[in-house]
Amino acid sequence: MTGKYFAEPFKIKMVEPIKILTREERIRKIQEAHYNVFGLAAEDCYIDLLTDSGTGAMSSHQWSGIMLGDESYSGSSSYFKLLESAKDIFGYAYIQPVHQGRAAEKVVMPILLGKGKVSISNMHFDTTRAHVEIAGARAVDCVVEVARDTTAYDPFKGNMDVRKLRELIVQYGPENVGVIIMTVTNNSAGGQPVSMENLRETAVVAKEYEIPLLIDAARFAENCHFIKEREDGYQKKSIKEIARELFSYGDLFTMSSKKDAIVNIGGLIGVKKDEAFFEKVKANTIPFEGFLSYGGLAGRDLEALAIGLQEGVDEDYLKYRVGQLEYLSEKLLEAGIPHQTPVGGHAVFLDAKKFLPHIPYHEFPAQALAVELYIEAGIRGCDIGSYMMGNDPDTGEQLESEFEFTRLAIPRRVYTQSHLDVIVEALKEIWNRRESLKGYRITWEPPILRHFTAKLEPITE
Ligand SMILES: *Cc1c(COP(=O)(O)O)cnc(C)c1O
């Protein structure tokens, strides 16, 4: 294996047929969905890049684990297998399974936060922000400035701005900062990694002010891969060694295992050593998620998760996984198609502001590009821009997002390089006629989280 890119380190045992509709059929389907990609049936999508969450393909080992699942209410063997696997990777004393990432947040945030408290993060993911706010607290983002420039190269665009973090702690008062959250990789900044050095510096600040440091670990393995590739001193370390060091800087973690643990459902909470804190985690888990030894999951899910955690840190798998993103990004760069670079670990974020400069933010360029990509080739991505952002809650006016991204999230172990080539070809076609694309207007919208259900129409005049 000497090539720059790494072919799939697996062969295919079972296939799921997908169909390609004609262009006319796609035009009709997207019209019937009111130009909202969330309204499309999955089977009408040829390549579905809506999310990388829970959409991965399980291995033959995981599927055989499904058959071994122990469905006992208490103390199942699958539970103990999961604890063993998780402790091996994270090195934490206490592990609690839950049904997904936001369930972990629901359990943990009310313990750390309350009215008048603040959570500071390199960037809160949407559900994390929601649970901080539900707990009565305020979520403040503190990412490095370079994350905002889509063309500037920086190896760790997901980092915390540590100087600003200190200023914010002083500004709010250390006693009011209930938690510092490090999201790895930084999802909202485009799946950008955080360096070990940055995590170490953040941990020093947390310790100095006695504030717990929580790692939001959804894509920890992809982050460890980037550290191995890009940070001095880590080239010879294994992903597991890097992960052990990464988690050693945190006091606790929450994790959606629908991403790097390659399962379709599941989540985890880890507590490094604070037994009293873990008692509180247990007390919240039972009413919210069920008894401790299953945490909202079936025994077979615990079994698949125990195996998936280990597969997710496999070095060949990660080389292939992140290599797919790098391949896609390189082909798009060759064609001059603007996107967030360097590419992150799980998705390509097309820069629709640069792709469609003639469409203003209030006519939703990233949504226009997502719709066009579906019409062109049956590829489903989604808007992460002004369309998703919605209206100012006070004035009702459309907000202008800093970015207009069309996100193409790549599911794990699902699509081949040929599928990636189709994506590139389709985007090139659209790029060549980009000036002919039109914006959209909303004809109906709900008051909150409108992007899932709003109805749109093309602006034709
Ligand atoms: C997906 C995700 C979550 C929430 O997890 P769910 O499993 O979707 O509930 C939290 N944080 C980050 C960084 C995520 O990517």
Side-chain angles (χ1 to χ4, degrees):
M1 290 286 192
T2 52
K4 183 168 176 202
Y5 301 110
F6 210 73
E8 287 76 1
F10 52 81
K11 54 185 179 171
I12 297 165
K13 191 193 277 292
M14 188 188 283
V15 298
E16 180 180 346
I18 48 180
K19 67 180 182 194
I20 314 178
L21 303 181
T22 63
R23 189 181 184 88
E24 289 65 42
E25 285 171 320
R26 291 195 296 269
I27 289 172
R28 188 165 53 78
K29 294 285 184 189
I30 194 71
Q31 203 172 8
E32 285 168 6
H34 301 280
Y35 300 95
N36 184 331
V37 294
F38 289 93
L40 290 166
E43 66 169 7
D44 294 332
C45 301
Y46 175 46
I47 302 177
D48 198 349
L49 309 180
L50 199 56
T51 176
D52 66 318
S53 177
T55 52
M58 291 209 296
S59 67
S60 51
H61 283 124
Q62 286 176 293
W63 279 108
S64 57
I66 292 273
M67 296 305 293
L68 297 173
D70 176 354
E71 304 301 340
S72 306
Y73 191 93
S74 170
S76 74
S77 61
S78 303
Y79 168 67
F80 292 115
K81 216 180 270 185
L82 173 63
L83 294 189
E84 193 185 331
S85 175
K87 284 178 184 177
D88 171 54
I89 288 174
F90 304 113
Y92 279 21
Y94 306 105
I95 296 290
Q96 177 58 56
V98 289
H99 86 275
Q100 62 183 91
R102 68 199 68 185
E105 293 160 355
K106 185 181 177 199
V107 166
V108 163
M109 292 309 169
I111 306 173
L112 296 165
L113 298 166
K115 238 188 168 35
K117 297 277 184 182
V118 181
S119 163
I120 306 174
S121 173
N122 59 334
M123 270 181 110
H124 296 83
F125 179 66
D126 325 9
T127 62
T128 320
R129 174 178 298 275
H131 279 294
V132 166
E133 288 170 1
I134 289 167
R138 224 174 119 176
V140 180
D141 288 341
C142 186
V143 73
V144 286
E145 235 3 86
V146 68
R148 307 195 188 285
D149 183 346
T150 61
T151 53
Y153 179 83
D154 190 284
F156 294 103
K157 265 181 167 172
N159 278 353
M160 181 85 80
D161 184 335
V162 180
R163 217 173 65 189
K164 192 167 157 210
L165 171 66
R166 281 186 181 279
E167 288 169 8
L168 287 169
I169 293 172
V170 172
Q171 182 192 327
Y172 288 105
E175 68 285 359
N176 296 319
V177 182
V179 65
I180 295 170
I181 301 177
M182 190 68 106
T183 311
V184 297
T185 56
N186 190 331
N187 186 351
S188 310
Q192 294 293 324
V194 172
S195 72
M196 196 71 91
E197 186 188 14
N198 186 252
L199 185 57
R200 205 179 294 128
E201 287 173 359
T202 302
V204 168
V205 176
K207 189 154 272 146
E208 189 181 316
Y209 290 103
E210 295 177 15
I211 301 166
L213 177 57
L214 184 156
I215 297 175
D216 181 350
R219 298 183 183 80
F220 79 97
E222 288 165 9
N223 202 99
C224 290
H225 171 84
F226 283 118
I227 288 174
K228 187 178 164 93
E229 297 271 300
R230 296 180 184 172
E231 193 164 350
D232 283 347
Y234 290 93
Q235 282 67 42
K236 294 212 169 69
K237 297 211 162 137
S238 71
I239 295 292
K240 260 195 200 176
E241 285 172 309
I242 297 170
R244 276 290 186 106
E245 182 183 341
L246 187 148
F247 283 96
S248 76
Y249 298 121
D251 298 297
L252 73 161
F253 73 83
T254 53
M255 178 177 168
S256 167
S257 36
K258 301 170 70 172
K259 284 90 170 211
D260 276 1
I262 330 178
V263 287
N264 305 119
I265 195 74
L268 289 172
I269 299 167
V271 177
K272 187 154 72 185
K273 56 182 186 213
D274 186 341
E275 191 181 354
F277 187 91
F278 193 63
E279 283 304 325
K280 294 181 194 163
V281 168
K282 292 201 284 193
N284 278 357
T285 297
I286 295 175
F288 292 158
E289 291 289 286
F291 189 61
L292 305 172
S293 66
Y294 69 88
L297 294 167
R300 53 183 170 271
D301 299 326
L302 301 173
E303 196 85 22
L305 176 50
I307 299 164
L309 275 173
Q310 299 292 331
E311 292 183 356
V313 296
D314 180 88
E315 317 220 343
D316 286 350
Y317 156 73
L318 283 167
K319 249 192 235 176
Y320 141 77
R321 160 73 180 157
V322 178
Q324 275 204 323
L325 274 296
E326 286 166 351
Y327 174 84
L328 190 52
S329 172
E330 195 170 297
K331 294 282 168 202
L332 294 177
L333 281 175
E334 276 168 22
I337 295 171
H339 59 286
Q340 166 80 291
T341 53
V343 70
H346 71 285
V348 167
F349 288 70
L350 298 169
D351 189 339
K353 217 190 249 188
K354 292 205 174 87
F355 201 119
L356 303 170
H358 60 287
I359 302 180
Y361 72 94
H362 52 86
E363 294 178 8
F364 315 127
Q367 177 67 12
L369 184 54
V371 169
E372 197 64 20
L373 195 52
Y374 177 74
I375 292 172
E376 177 64 34
I379 297 163
R380 174 159 69 168
C382 69
D383 171 292
I384 309 271
S386 297
Y387 169 61
M388 184 177 90
M389 202 166 199
N391 300 317
D392 187 306
D394 298 325
T395 65
E397 257 177 68
Q398 173 64 49
L399 293 164
E400 180 175 2
S401 172
E402 193 172 343
F403 297 116
E404 301 293 345
F405 283 136
T406 304
R407 188 184 75 175
L408 308 178
I410 309 296
R412 292 169 182 76
R413 305 191 293 207
V414 170
Y415 294 116
T416 66
Q417 190 162 317
S418 316
H419 291 110
L420 303 184
D421 289 337
V422 170
I423 300 165
V424 174
E425 270 175 51
L427 281 167
K428 278 190 194 165
E429 283 293 324
I430 299 172
W431 179 248
N432 291 336
R433 58 176 158 79
R434 60 190 182 278
E435 276 147 29
S436 68
L437 266 64
K438 299 275 199 294
Y440 282 79
R441 76 165 69 88
I442 291 175
T443 58
W444 178 86
E445 63 186 306
I448 51 161
L449 291 174
R450 71 165 181 206
H451 60 292
F452 291 115
T453 54
K455 297 177 181 176
L456 302 102
E457 68 182 14
I459 297 170
T460 47
E461 70 272 13

